[in-house]
């Protein structure tokens, strides 16, 4: 019986790749691309949303807060859903939900209904990235996994660019309903090939029986508890928590109002700076991936260094003497914010070696929650402080330092234990350790 279990094991690790794999993977990445456009669309429409729904800054922040809360809360359930239902079904559900959410947001007549629409969008969005990572591992050989996941991340960043460069001028050209309702058509556009052509894996390369796990709440609870007990999982969460949120808060909601209201820039210039954040993210993502891929010892210095430089530039910008910071400082800040996304991916490089293959989805879900929890907290804090201080962005943006300090303290507390445990596991795995990294989400972001 052991022979029957061992023989098929290599099959899922070495799918054929080729043109068919690229075609199927491209469909999944297109779904993720549209999800990112919808996710970030509010970032260029924050002031318009405040006028349309007649809400304060704290109420405006609730849009992104609720969306991220749903996204973060869905990470572990989505990982389990992909394992149980398959990638195609989960992506189909996700595309349907985020398209319905975007269309409902366009037509919402009230603040409450608009909130419900963003929650629906966040639920669908949450089902995309983990599904795309799974497509890469099922359709391409293990050695190609890191490259395919890095490319998927770059395509997602391109979705940010579309929000800034395309949706923003369309919004101010044709108005709220035509812009958002028109963008929802993109969801229908990717849903058709998804339903018709996407398959979970090539013929004969499905998961083996040995990898099927019993369901039930006990299994879910045990998976989560076992992952959480590993210091590497917790370190990964805190790295993601500490590094990701400054850029996300800036892109999702408060960057455009800050640049226009506090810095006196016009919409075109402010949009260009948001575009710079995304472009820097795409470039630095490749740099960080190569550095971490070549030297695992660079993980902690890169993460902490990114936090330090981000805090320095953030502080210099809001504390600059006078009413407005100079353009060179704003450009430098936005360039540095572009490093936050790539640095947050380092968190997966701590969670991956801490967990066996059957817990990779759960561990990556836990890690991925970190940055979104920090983003939710900061989005709300900035909104509340803006209302309390009469739109004083200097005071409101100081909330960033509080969360960075909490995260850095946790990273310093956990790094020793996590790295020791990682070295122990590497010794235990011996020669088998060379094949496992390409399966995990950490390897997927090193490219």
């Amino acid at each position: 019986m052991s022979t029957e279990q061992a023989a098929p094991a290599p099959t899922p690790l070495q799918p054929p790749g080729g043109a068919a794999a690229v075609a199927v993977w491209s469909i999944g990445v297109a779904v993720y691309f549209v999800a990112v456009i919808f996710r970030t669309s509010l970032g260029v429409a924050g002031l318009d949303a405040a006028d349309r729904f007649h809400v304060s800054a704290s109420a405006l922040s609730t849009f992104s807060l609720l969306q991220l809360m749903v996204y973060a809360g869905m990470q572990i359930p989505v990982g389990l859903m992909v394992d149980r239902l398959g990638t195609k079904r989960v992506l189909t559900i996700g595309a349907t939900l985020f398209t319905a959410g975007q269309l409902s947001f366009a037509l919402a007549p009230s603040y409450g209904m608009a909130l419900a629409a963003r929650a629906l969008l966040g639920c669908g969005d949450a089902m995309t990235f983990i599904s795309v990572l799974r497509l890469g591992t099922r359709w391409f050989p293990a050695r190609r996994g890191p490259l395919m996941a890095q490319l998927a991340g770059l395509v997602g960043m391109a979705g940010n660019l579309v929000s800034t460069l395309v949706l923003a001028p369309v919004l101010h050209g044709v108005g709220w309903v035509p812009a958002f309702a028109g963008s929802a058509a993109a969801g229908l556009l990717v849903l058709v090939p998804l339903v018709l052509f996407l398959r979970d894996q090539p013929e004969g390369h499905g998961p083996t029986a040995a990898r099927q796990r019993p369901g039930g709440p006990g299994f879910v609870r045990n998976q989560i508890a076992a992952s959480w007990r590993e210091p590497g999982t917790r370190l990964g969460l805190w790295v993601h928590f500490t590094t990701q949120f400054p850029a996300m808060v800036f892109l999702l909601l408060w960057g455009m109002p800050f640049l226009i209201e506090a810095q006196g820039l016009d919409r075109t210039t402010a949009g260009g700076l948001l575009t710079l954040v995304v472009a820097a993210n795409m470039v630095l993502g490749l740099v960080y991936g190569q550095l971490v891929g070549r030297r695992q010892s660079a993980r902690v210095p890169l993460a902490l260094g990114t936090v330090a430089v981000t805090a320095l530039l953030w502080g210099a910008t809001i504390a600059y003497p006078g009413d407005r910071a100079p353009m060179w400082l704003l450009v430098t800040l936005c360039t540095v914010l572009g490093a936050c996304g790539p640095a947050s991916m380092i968190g997966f490089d701590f969670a991956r070696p801490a967990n066996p293959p059957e817990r990779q989805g759960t561990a990556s879900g836990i890690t991925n929650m970190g940055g979104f929890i920090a983003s939710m907290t900061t989005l709300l804090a900035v909104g509340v402080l803006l209302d309390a201080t009469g739109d004083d962005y200097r005071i409101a943006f100081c909330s960033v330092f509080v969360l960075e300090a909490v995260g850095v303290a946790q990273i310093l507390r956990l790094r020793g234990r996590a790295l020791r445990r990682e070295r122990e596991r590497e010794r235990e795995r011996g020669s088998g350790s060379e094949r496992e990294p390409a399966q995990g989400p950490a390897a997927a972001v090193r490219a």
Side-chain angles (χ1 to χ4, degrees):
M1 186 170 182
S2 61
T3 303
E4 294 177 359
Q5 292 178 346
T11 304
L13 300 178
Q14 296 297 330
V22 172
V24 171
W25 177 84
S26 298
I27 294 173
V29 169
V31 176
Y32 176 56
F33 173 75
V34 174
V36 174
I37 295 175
F38 291 178
R39 179 201 305 172
T40 57
S41 59
L42 187 60
V44 298
L47 297 177
D48 301 84
D51 292 337
R52 178 176 176 82
F53 299 111
H54 309 290
V55 294
S56 64
S58 57
L60 180 62
S61 68
T62 306
F63 278 125
S64 296
L65 175 66
L66 180 61
Q67 182 180 333
L68 291 182
M69 185 181 300
V70 172
Y71 186 101
M74 286 291 294
Q75 288 307 294
I76 296 175
V78 166
L80 296 169
M81 286 174 64
V82 170
D83 289 337
R84 295 286 174 260
L85 302 179
T87 305
K88 179 174 182 175
R89 291 181 181 177
V90 175
L91 271 179
T92 302
I93 295 170
T96 302
L97 291 178
F98 67 61
T99 301
Q102 185 78 342
L103 182 60
S104 299
F105 190 62
L107 304 175
S110 66
Y111 175 67
M113 294 187 68
L115 274 179
R118 295 307 287 187
L120 189 64
L121 193 157
C123 185
D125 181 19
M127 299 182 181
T128 58
F129 187 64
I130 294 177
S131 298
V132 170
L133 286 181
R134 180 60 61 89
L135 278 180
T137 60
R138 289 286 171 84
W139 278 90
F140 293 91
R143 67 182 184 277
R144 299 289 300 279
L147 174 62
M148 304 316 296
Q150 183 68 47
L151 290 175
L154 293 179
V155 171
M157 285 296 100
N160 254 318
L161 287 177
V162 171
S163 292
T164 304
L165 299 179
V166 179
L167 184 59
V170 170
L171 175 65
H172 298 107
V174 302
W176 182 278
V177 174
F180 278 95
S183 67
L188 298 176
L189 190 64
V190 296
L191 191 57
V192 173
L194 167 60
V195 172
L196 294 180
F197 302 115
L198 190 137
R199 289 182 290 150
D200 287 355
Q201 63 270 321
E203 193 70 29
H205 289 77
T208 64
R211 295 179 65 184
Q212 302 300 318
R213 301 291 175 184
F219 167 70
V220 173
R221 184 170 55 250
N222 292 338
Q223 285 284 92
I224 296 173
S227 295
W228 184 254
R229 280 195 296 268
E230 293 292 343
T233 304
R234 300 197 301 276
L235 178 59
L237 179 146
W238 284 109
V239 168
H240 201 269
F241 176 101
T242 313
T243 53
Q244 186 199 47
F245 78 94
M248 180 151 303
V249 167
F250 202 81
L251 287 172
L252 278 184
L253 185 60
W254 292 122
M256 185 72 80
F258 168 72
L259 294 172
I260 294 175
E261 296 181 344
Q263 299 301 316
L265 303 180
D266 57 53
R267 287 181 179 270
T268 302
T269 305
L273 288 174
L274 294 183
T275 303
L276 176 61
V277 177
V278 177
N281 186 304
M282 298 172 72
V283 174
L284 293 174
L286 295 175
V287 175
Y288 276 49
Q290 293 296 330
L291 288 174
V292 175
R294 288 184 169 90
R295 293 183 61 86
Q296 289 285 288
S297 59
R299 290 174 297 175
V300 172
L302 270 178
L304 293 179
T306 301
V307 174
V309 176
T310 302
L312 177 64
L313 268 297
W314 196 280
T317 301
I318 62 177
Y320 193 85
D323 294 334
R324 299 172 183 175
M327 180 57 67
W328 67 263
L329 184 54
L330 295 176
V331 169
T332 306
L333 171 66
C334 290
T335 303
V336 169
L337 286 176
C340 292
S344 72
M345 293 300 184
I346 296 173
F348 295 104
D349 261 299
F350 290 110
R352 187 267 309 162
N355 293 272
E358 62 269 18
R359 289 207 309 263
Q360 291 294 327
T362 304
S364 63
I366 292 173
T367 300
N368 206 28
M369 289 172 62
F372 292 98
I373 291 173
S375 298
M376 288 187 295
T377 305
T378 310
L379 284 168
L380 180 60
V382 169
V384 170
L385 289 171
L386 284 174
D387 285 342
T389 61
D391 293 336
D392 190 329
Y393 281 91
R394 292 187 174 185
I395 295 176
F397 276 6
C398 284
S399 57
V400 170
F401 304 121
V402 177
L403 272 75
E404 285 185 328
V406 171
V408 167
Q410 293 296 326
I411 292 172
L412 295 177
R413 182 178 70 87
L414 290 166
R415 63 174 179 170
R417 277 182 287 168
L419 294 177
R420 283 194 299 271
R421 180 60 174 151
E422 185 176 305
R423 289 191 292 268
E424 292 171 2
R425 283 185 177 274
E426 288 175 353
R427 288 194 293 267
E428 292 170 1
R429 288 167 181 157
S431 60
S433 65
E434 293 183 7
R435 191 175 64 182
E436 185 175 331
Q439 305 174 49
V445 298
R446 288 204 300 263

